[in-house]
């Protein structure tokens, strides 16, 4: 006689695993929303395709507790409910619920005692319904259907509008100025007060607002309303690629060649770091985190031969103990002090320098880890408090730069890498959209620019446009005023959003580009 026990148990095992997977997926989605509010499917796919070993331990711990352990508890609770509920229902007196459908003139009868029978004999009804609901929620939060649709459709938009910097004339002035690029994690104009284009009654970044008002800051309105975030530019490495190469970061997997396994990172791209290196600039990038995360180190070393100084460098030089680790590495107050030291060294060199730095305290869900003794105690919300601290620290750093001998010979560019991902922080506030602008716009400032802009207000533009604009601020003449998909904002040349509108441009950028895959990602 054949033993059929194993065959009978297999469907049950598959069912239980499916049920647990759905519970885990539900808690994972909640964790993702809580910790990284407004992210795209593109970023999720990208993150899953790069090594995560250098991400902060807090994120792994939070996921373990909030998703993994919670899903186990949820599964146990459902199992207990399935054992207890039938016993409770059996003890209830039998009664009927009569359903009368006037529209179809139907009359039916449902015995409450048969509900458990329904789900025991038709056990796949629950997980199937659950899965459908998750798909709907995923589509609402992350535009899943649009992502799938755009992944299938192809567009020649990028091919038609892309300008290769190697195929145009780029002329530097005889006297080359230094360049300092300060990328403020998640800096957006939304954090200002309403009078200046934000959503708060009282700005949480007042010093940053004043810096923007006193210098050149491009805006989508009459107020300080910064750059839109185009598809493929909405997370740190993607934002840095956009602002230094004028292109989005689009992931297209080919076999097992995932980003992070590439021998070269975007081998077909050409960044302004490479252009500056050819002109004799010393490229240097400083960050308070492990720069290997997300492909940043590969990108900047391969595109401009940047000297990288990060969290690991601080340990090697004895700046911090080996076991020191706060948030993503070390706090911005230390980063600014180390930046001052390095800038004084670079300023003594005969060659011009291109110094870039990336802050980290205002990363999503930094929470109490970003709070230090420099933070003013004027906001209860920890994220708002971290921003008020970041604003004050940036102002102090700019004040220090203005006192240095190299200041007059240096162009300073300040921007956010992307808009904030802090879950539900912005959604807590009700605000009106500015006519003609996008909702969440990236902060930007140019200080000591060699040229004056034709117009800074009421522009339609994205962070892609900062790439040629940085070179223009250095006094570089750019043939056609365009690089990559970016347009020199100091010029009269219309940007792509001004030419096509945001909706059409973003829709086309979201689609698969054979040109991008062939010429930039896999040349």
């Amino acid at each position: 006689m054949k033993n059929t026990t194993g065959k009978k148990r297999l469907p049950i095992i598959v069912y239980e695993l499916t049920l647990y997977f759905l519970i885990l997926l539900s808690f994972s989605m909640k964790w993702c929303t809580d910790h990284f509010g407004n992210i795209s499917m593109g970023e999720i796919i990208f993150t899953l395709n790069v090594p995560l070993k250098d991400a902060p331990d807090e994120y792994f711990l939070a996921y373990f507790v909030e998703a993994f352990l919670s899903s186990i508890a949820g599964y146990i609770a459902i199992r207990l409910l399935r054992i207890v509920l039938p016993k409770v229902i059996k003890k209830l007196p039998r009664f009927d619920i009569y359903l009368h459908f006037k529209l179809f003139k139907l009359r039916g009868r449902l015995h409450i005692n048969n509900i458990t029978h329904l789900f025991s004999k038709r056990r796949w009804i629950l997980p199937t319904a659950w899965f459908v609901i998750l798909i709907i929620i995923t589509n609402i939060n992350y535009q899943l259907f649009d992502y799938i649709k755009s992944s299938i459709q192809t567009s020649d938009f990028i091919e038609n509008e892309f300008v290769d910097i190697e195929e145009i004339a780029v002329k530097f002035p005889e006297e080359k100025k230094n360049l300092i690029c300060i990328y403020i994690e998640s800096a957006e104009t939304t954090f200002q007060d309403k009078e200046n284009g934000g959503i708060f009654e009282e700005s949480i970044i007042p010093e940053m607002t004043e810096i923007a008002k006193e210098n050149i800051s491009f805006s989508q309105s009459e107020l300080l309303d910064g750059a839109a975030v185009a598809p493929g530019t909405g997370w740190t490495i993607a934002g840095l690629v956009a602002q230094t190469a004028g292109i989005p970061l689009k992931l297209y997997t080919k076999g097992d060649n995932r980003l992070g396994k590439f021998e070269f990172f975007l081998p077909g791209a050409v960044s302004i770091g490479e252009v500056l290196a050819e002109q004799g600039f010393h490229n240097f990038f400083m960050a308070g985190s492990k720069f290997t995360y997300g492909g940043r180190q590969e990108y900047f070393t391969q595109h401009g031969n940047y000297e990288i100084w990060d969290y690991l460098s601080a340990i090697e030089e004895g700046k911090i103990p080996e076991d020191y680790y706060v948030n993503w590495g070390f706090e911005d107050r230390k980063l600014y002090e180390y930046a001052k030291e390095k800038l004084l060294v670079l300023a003594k060199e005969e060659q011009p320098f291109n110094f870039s730095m990336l802050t980290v305290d205002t990363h999503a869900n930094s929470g109490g880890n970003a709070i230090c003794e420099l933070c003013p105690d004027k906001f209860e919300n920890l994220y708002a408090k971290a921003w008020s601290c970041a604003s004050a620290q940036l102002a102090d750093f700019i004040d220090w730069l203005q006192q240095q001998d190299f200041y007059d010979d240096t162009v300073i560019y300040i921007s956010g890498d992307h808009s904030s991902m802090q879950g539900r922080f912005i959604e807590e506030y009700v605000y009106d959209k500015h006519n003609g602008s996008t909702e969440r716009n990236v902060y930007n400032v140019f200080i000591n620019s060699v040229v004056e802009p034709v117009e800074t207000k009421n522009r339609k533009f994205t962070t892609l446009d900062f790439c040629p604009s940085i070179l223009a601020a250095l006094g570089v003449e750019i043939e056609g005023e365009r690089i990559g998909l970016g347009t020199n904002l100091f010029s009269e040349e219309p940007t792509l959003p001004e030419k096509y509108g945001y909706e059409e441009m973003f829709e086309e950028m979201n689609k698969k580009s054979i040109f991008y895959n062939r010429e930039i990602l896999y040349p």
Side-chain angles (χ1 to χ4, degrees):
M1 191 175 199
K2 292 183 179 181
N3 185 359
T4 59
T5 304
K7 292 184 178 180
K8 290 181 179 180
R9 288 187 58 83
L10 182 59
I12 298 176
I13 294 173
V14 172
Y15 175 83
E16 296 298 333
L17 288 175
T18 301
L19 187 61
Y20 174 73
F21 172 76
L22 290 172
I23 297 172
L24 177 62
L25 188 60
S26 300
F27 279 107
S28 297
M29 287 178 59
K30 184 180 184 304
W31 174 85
C32 186
T33 302
D34 290 343
H35 289 266
F36 304 99
N38 61 317
I39 61 175
S40 65
M41 279 302 300
E43 182 182 356
I44 293 174
I45 299 300
F46 174 85
T47 303
L48 294 175
N49 277 275
V50 296
L52 300 175
K53 60 184 179 64
D54 291 321
D57 294 339
E58 288 85 350
Y59 285 95
F60 294 104
L61 179 61
Y63 181 81
F64 180 75
V65 174
E66 298 174 22
F68 185 72
L69 291 184
S70 296
S71 63
I72 292 177
Y75 175 76
I76 293 173
I78 290 178
R79 288 283 293 170
L80 291 174
L81 188 63
R82 284 158 58 187
I83 294 173
V84 174
L85 188 60
K87 295 180 180 179
V88 173
I89 290 179
K90 283 182 179 180
K91 294 182 180 180
L92 294 175
R94 186 177 181 87
F95 62 91
D96 296 337
I97 299 177
Y98 289 94
L99 304 176
H100 181 61
F101 304 97
K102 292 183 179 179
L103 181 61
F104 300 104
K105 297 181 179 180
L106 297 175
R107 186 181 299 273
R109 179 164 36 179
L110 175 66
H111 297 289
I112 193 170
N113 307 69
N114 290 340
I115 293 177
T116 56
H117 176 76
L118 176 66
F119 282 99
S120 62
K121 295 299 183 181
R122 302 288 185 268
R123 62 167 63 97
W124 286 100
I125 291 178
L126 175 61
T128 301
W130 195 332
F131 181 73
V132 171
I133 292 172
L134 285 179
I135 292 295
I136 294 173
I137 294 174
T138 302
N139 184 60
I140 293 173
N141 290 339
Y142 308 112
Q143 293 76 52
L144 175 63
F145 296 158
D146 288 341
Y147 178 80
I148 295 174
K149 179 182 176 182
S150 62
S151 299
I152 298 173
Q153 295 177 325
T154 59
S155 170
D156 57 2
F157 178 84
I158 293 180
E159 180 176 7
N160 292 340
E161 296 297 339
F162 178 80
V163 175
D164 190 340
I165 193 173
E166 295 184 317
E167 297 181 359
I168 60 174
V170 177
K171 183 180 179 181
F172 277 75
E174 287 189 18
E175 294 294 327
K176 299 182 180 70
K177 286 186 175 288
N178 305 309
L179 174 63
I180 296 177
C181 297
I182 306 173
Y183 299 101
I184 307 296
E185 173 63 49
S186 305
E188 59 178 84
T189 53
T190 313
F191 299 141
Q192 301 174 126
D193 58 320
K194 294 179 180 178
E195 182 180 349
N196 288 294
I199 65 172
F200 293 89
E201 294 298 333
E202 179 183 4
S203 174
I204 62 176
I205 53 169
E207 295 87 356
M208 291 174 63
T209 299
E210 289 305 310
I211 293 172
K213 291 171 71 172
E214 293 171 1
N215 297 281
I216 297 171
S217 181
F218 294 96
S219 172
Q220 298 190 60
S221 70
E222 288 292 335
L223 306 176
L224 296 174
D225 194 9
V229 180
T233 68
W235 61 99
T236 297
I237 180 58
L240 295 175
V241 168
Q243 296 179 49
T244 56
I247 59 173
L249 182 54
K250 295 171 69 69
L251 179 61
Y252 167 67
T253 55
K254 181 181 180 182
D256 194 39
N257 281 334
R258 298 184 301 169
L259 289 171
K261 289 186 177 181
F262 284 162
E263 184 178 355
F264 297 102
F265 193 102
L266 296 178
V270 178
S271 77
I272 57 176
E274 292 169 269
V275 176
L276 295 176
E278 291 178 357
Q279 293 291 322
F281 281 72
H282 181 176
N283 290 333
F284 191 97
F285 206 117
M286 177 176 284
S289 57
K290 295 179 182 178
F291 213 62
T292 50
Y293 177 74
R296 295 176 297 180
Q297 182 156 304
E298 287 80 5
Y299 174 72
F300 283 99
T301 54
Q302 294 169 11
H303 295 279
N305 194 29
Y306 281 75
E307 180 182 349
I308 305 298
W309 200 97
D310 64 353
Y311 166 76
L312 297 177
S313 305
I315 293 177
E316 290 176 4
E317 294 187 11
K319 297 287 187 181
I320 56 177
E322 290 187 9
D323 59 349
Y324 191 91
Y325 196 87
V326 176
N327 203 19
W328 285 75
F330 58 80
E331 311 93 318
D332 289 346
R333 61 189 177 93
K334 290 183 172 63
L335 179 68
Y336 281 116
E337 291 305 314
Y338 303 153
K340 293 174 184 178
E341 295 174 8
K342 180 53 65 175
L343 281 167
L344 291 176
V345 174
L346 292 173
K348 293 178 181 179
E349 298 178 351
E350 294 184 1
Q351 64 185 128
F353 62 80
N354 166 28
F355 177 87
S356 298
M357 61 183 291
L358 172 65
T359 68
V360 73
D361 281 358
T362 49
H363 195 282
N365 286 283
S366 293
N369 290 335
I371 306 305
C372 66
E373 61 270 19
L374 300 177
C375 296
D377 191 21
K378 59 188 300 185
F379 297 101
E380 292 185 7
N381 183 284
L382 291 178
Y383 194 60
K385 187 177 293 188
W387 268 112
S388 65
C389 191
S391 178
Q393 288 186 71
L394 175 64
D396 289 342
F397 185 62
I398 299 300
D399 288 343
W400 179 85
L401 289 173
Q402 291 173 338
Q403 299 170 22
Q404 306 311 307
D405 294 337
F406 60 81
Y407 175 76
D408 290 335
D409 297 321
T410 303
V411 173
I412 303 171
Y413 165 67
I414 311 169
S415 78
D417 52 350
H418 51 74
S419 56
S420 176
M421 300 175 186
Q422 179 72 4
R424 299 191 177 92
F425 179 70
I426 296 296
E427 285 74 10
E428 293 177 3
Y429 301 89
V430 178
Y431 64 102
D432 296 324
K433 297 178 183 179
H434 301 302
N435 291 330
S437 76
T438 49
E439 295 181 35
R440 308 281 298 281
N441 302 319
V442 174
Y443 176 90
N444 71 95
V445 174
F446 291 82
I447 301 175
N448 280 348
S449 172
V450 173
V451 296
E452 289 295 321
V454 175
E455 181 60 71
T456 62
K457 304 297 184 183
N458 299 308
R459 301 293 307 271
K460 289 184 178 180
F461 63 104
T462 72
T463 56
L464 294 163
D465 298 308
F466 291 147
C467 172
S469 302
I470 293 171
L471 288 178
L474 288 169
V476 179
E477 297 178 11
I478 305 169
E479 179 186 357
E481 306 293 0
R482 296 197 51 233
I483 296 174
L485 299 181
T487 303
N488 173 17
L489 294 172
F490 288 88
S491 71
E492 294 180 328
E493 186 72 16
T495 65
L496 294 184
E498 289 171 337
K499 184 178 179 180
Y500 295 99
Y502 288 119
E503 185 176 351
E504 181 178 349
M505 177 186 174
F506 290 3
E507 181 179 354
E508 294 301 314
M509 284 185 64
N510 269 320
K511 296 176 182 178
K512 182 170 66 176
S513 170
I514 297 174
F515 169 82
Y516 183 95
N517 297 336
R518 184 184 64 239
E519 301 296 332
I520 297 175
L521 200 56
Y522 295 102

